[in-house]
């Protein structure tokens, strides 16, 4: 993959963006996420996480089995205010 290849479609990040983050000290998926926002878009990393991991492995020389699983959060869904206040009033 060349540096212009899109890795994170949600945040429009390229291979070059991820490589630069690794070269600046981001050595985990969460570290790359903090620096670049990779995995913070609508898909929450479901399409780019594995690619980000591969780039980190290539840039750092770490093994894929040594990679920490990134922090995940449950999906956020809209909640009606009436549910929060306890009725339809």
């Amino acid at each position: 993959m060349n540096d212009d290849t899109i890795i994170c479609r949600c945040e429009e990040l390229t291979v070059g963006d991820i490589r630069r983050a690794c070269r600046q000290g981001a050595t985990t998926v969460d570290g790359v996420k903090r620096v670049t926002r990779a995995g913070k878009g609508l898909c929450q990393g479901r399409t780019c996480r594995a690619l980000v991991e591969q780039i980190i492995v290539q840039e750092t020389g770490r093994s894929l089995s040594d990679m920490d699983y990134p922090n995940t959060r449950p999906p956020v869904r809209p909640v009606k205010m009436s549910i929060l206040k306890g009725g339809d009033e």
Side-chain angles (χ1 to χ4, degrees):
M1 292 186 286
N2 65 39
D3 280 355
D4 295 328
T5 303
I6 298 285
I7 292 296
C8 179
R9 291 179 286 170
C10 298
E11 297 294 325
E12 298 182 6
L13 296 167
T14 65
V15 171
D17 296 325
I18 308 303
R19 286 180 177 155
R20 277 189 292 283
C22 291
R23 291 172 186 160
Q24 293 172 354
T27 59
T28 65
V29 175
D30 280 337
V32 169
K33 183 191 285 189
R34 283 186 200 99
V35 173
T36 65
R37 294 193 47 82
K40 287 189 174 187
L42 290 175
C43 81
Q44 294 294 293
R46 285 185 289 277
T47 59
C48 66
R49 184 183 54 81
L51 295 169
V52 170
E53 286 176 345
Q54 289 176 6
I55 295 168
I56 293 170
V57 165
Q58 292 169 354
E59 288 296 312
T60 64
R62 295 174 61 195
S63 164
L64 191 56
S65 61
D66 291 339
M67 297 295 291
D68 295 329
Y69 193 78
N71 293 329
T72 57
R73 292 180 180 85
V76 177
R77 295 196 171 112
V79 177
K80 292 183 180 182
M81 294 301 290
S82 61
I83 292 172
L84 294 176
K85 72 177 188 176
D88 290 333
E89 298 174 10

